[in-house]
Each structure stands twice: as C-alpha cells, then as structure tokens.
Amino acid sequence: MGEPSLSELLGIWVEGWASTRHYPVQDVGAFKAVQLTDKSGDWEAFAADPSEQEFADLAAFVTESSPRLMTVLTENLPAYRALGEKHGLVELAADQELMIMDFEGKDVEAPWLNDDELKLTTDYEDHSATVTVATTDGTLAARGHVAVAHGYAVFDRIITEPAFRRRGLGSFIMRALTAAMSEHNLDQGLLIASTDGQHLYHHLGWSDVSQVLVLTNPGNTQGGSLSSD
C-alpha cells in the first residue's frame, strides 16, 4: 500500500474528530458532513481539493441553511476562495493546518507530571481517551482528547487554561494522550491546529500536510472550531 491521499487522510481525521465530540456524520455525495450538535446544530461538509463540480454540489448543500460550513483542505487557497465567492460563500477562517506525526521512534510511555500541585486523570471510552490536568482543588489546568480511526490517533481540543500556560502542559497533554493510545500500536497521529498550536506541534515533531479553508454563508460569523488547540 502507498501513502494515503489527502482525501483519505481527511476522511480519517473527520471520523476521529467526530468520534471525540460524538457528532453524527452523513454522506454528501462522495464527501462527509458532520453535525455540530454542540454549536450551531447544523452541518459542516469536508472535502480535499474538490473539482469545480464537486465544489458546486457541496456549495449547494451549504447554502441550504445559513449556519452550514464547508471546509476545504488544499494548498491552493486562492482558487477555492474564488470558487467560494462564485457560489456566494464567504471565508470564515484560513489559518489552520492539517498536521501529521510519525510515532516510530517516539516516546509513547506515560509522562511524569513534575508538579505536586497538579494531578493527571485519563478517562477511556471505547477507542478514545480524555486527559485532564487539574489542581488538587479541582481547577482545570489543561486537557485534550484523542480517538483511534483506521490506525491513526486523531487529537482534538488540546487546551491549556491561561493561568497555567508556559509550564509545558501542552506538550505534557500530547504525550499523555499518545501514551493513552499506545495499546493500539498506532503508527501515526493526525490533528488540525491553529496558527498558535502549529508552533507547539512543530516543536514536538509534527509535519504540515495541508492548509484548511473554512467557508460559510454571508452573515454567519459563528461557525465551529476545528482546531485541536
């Protein structure tokens, strides 16, 4: 088997991301759409470098309802911005990146939390896990989620609370999530990160795969957050 295509990687990411958030998934033609039940309650469609006709079909789906989103993975942002404008869609975000990590040779042992004031908790659910770091009085310091999809670990919502930043908790959470999935013998990880998150993940050895363009209907500025940080 060769390397997975961008479309295949996106499909894996969507499945894992939807799993961590318990989002329903449906087919829209050859593509997937996810219902953002904790946000707008409407659908977000995903595609990797769709053809003009595929884009038109997805745009028709998105324009049926104002809160809907279309997320396109591509290295040709200008072309899809132009297609979005042609079909009456507007740009909501273009600062995120699909990233990948090869776990081979990486430390997947559970990390040691070197802070007596903080406690690590790992909760498992089917093929997913949630890691939280909190103070002894229960104040949340950091958290993150991970799910297994087709042999990949899909990371999501890696968050460090403002009062606890610059203490290495983002890196710690990523190591703890990787360790939580170690029994599945996963080879690679996937995530979508904001600009701020990309700096951390590059430092941890993650590589860029594709830019992410989020489009929506005029007047919809709420949207949903894809990023894992």
Side-chain angles (χ1 to χ4, degrees), residues 147-218:
V148 175
H150 299 282
Y152 288 74
V154 178
F155 295 79
D156 182 38
R157 289 173 292 173
I158 314 302
I159 296 171
T160 301
E161 296 299 324
F164 295 91
R165 290 175 183 167
R166 301 192 181 280
R167 295 168 64 171
L169 289 179
S171 299
F172 177 86
I173 288 289
M174 291 299 292
R175 292 197 304 271
L177 289 169
T178 303
M181 293 290 101
S182 60
E183 67 180 70
H184 296 281
N185 297 315
L186 304 175
D187 294 325
Q188 292 179 302
L190 288 173
L191 57 78
I192 287 182
S194 68
T195 302
D196 288 342
Q198 291 164 35
H199 297 299
L200 168 64
Y201 304 128
H202 285 145
H203 177 72
L204 296 178
W206 289 72
S207 301
D208 296 338
V209 176
S210 174
Q211 293 178 290
V212 179
L213 175 65
V214 184
L215 300 166
T216 190
N217 294 288

Side-chain angles (χ1 to χ4, degrees), residues 13 19 23 31 52 57 60 82 99 107 115 130 137 178 204 214 218:
W13 178 85
S19 174
Y23 287 160
F31 301 101
E52 288 195 32
D57 293 342
M99 305 184 74
D107 181 11
D115 191 326
T130 298
D137 66 2
T178 303
L204 296 178
V214 184

Side-chain angles (χ1 to χ4, degrees), residues 9-195:
L9 287 176
L10 175 60
I12 294 166
W13 178 85
V14 167
E15 181 175 321
W17 180 71
S19 174
T20 68
R21 301 190 182 209
H22 304 286
Y23 287 160
V25 180
Q26 72 170 5
D27 292 328
V28 180
F31 301 101
K32 297 293 184 183
V34 172
Q35 188 178 18
L36 309 177
T37 52
D38 61 343
K39 298 183 184 300
S40 68
D42 218 314
W43 295 88
E44 179 171 6
F46 295 87
D49 289 319
S51 68
E52 288 195 32
Q53 184 57 57
E54 290 170 336
F55 188 99
D57 293 342
L58 288 174
F61 171 77
V62 172
T63 55
E64 287 176 5
S65 177
S66 179
R68 290 187 180 174
L69 307 172
M70 183 199 301
T71 292
V72 177
L73 269 63
T74 183
E75 288 303 301
N76 191 352
L77 292 178
Y80 289 101
R81 286 187 175 115
L83 279 175
E85 184 176 354
K86 176 182 176 181
H87 292 281
L89 300 177
V90 296
E91 181 178 318
L92 186 62
D95 61 345
Q96 300 179 96
E97 186 86 21
L98 177 69
M99 305 184 74
I100 195 167
M101 162 73 107
D102 189 342
F103 293 143
E104 185 176 356
K106 299 294 191 300
D107 181 11
V108 296
E109 297 295 322
W112 176 257
L113 186 57
N114 189 24
D115 191 326
D116 293 339
E117 298 178 358
L118 299 176
K119 178 184 178 182
L120 168 68
T121 303
T122 303
D123 296 312
Y124 294 92
E125 181 182 348
D126 297 329
H127 296 294
S128 64
T130 298
V131 166
T132 57
V133 174
T135 64
T136 52
D137 66 2
T139 301
L140 179 66
R143 63 179 169 85
H145 307 261
V146 65
V148 175
H150 299 282
Y152 288 74
V154 178
F155 295 79
D156 182 38
R157 289 173 292 173
I158 314 302
I159 296 171
T160 301
E161 296 299 324
F164 295 91
R165 290 175 183 167
R166 301 192 181 280
R167 295 168 64 171
L169 289 179
S171 299
F172 177 86
I173 288 289
M174 291 299 292
R175 292 197 304 271
L177 289 169
T178 303
M181 293 290 101
S182 60
E183 67 180 70
H184 296 281
N185 297 315
L186 304 175
D187 294 325
Q188 292 179 302
L190 288 173
L191 57 78
I192 287 182
S194 68
T195 302

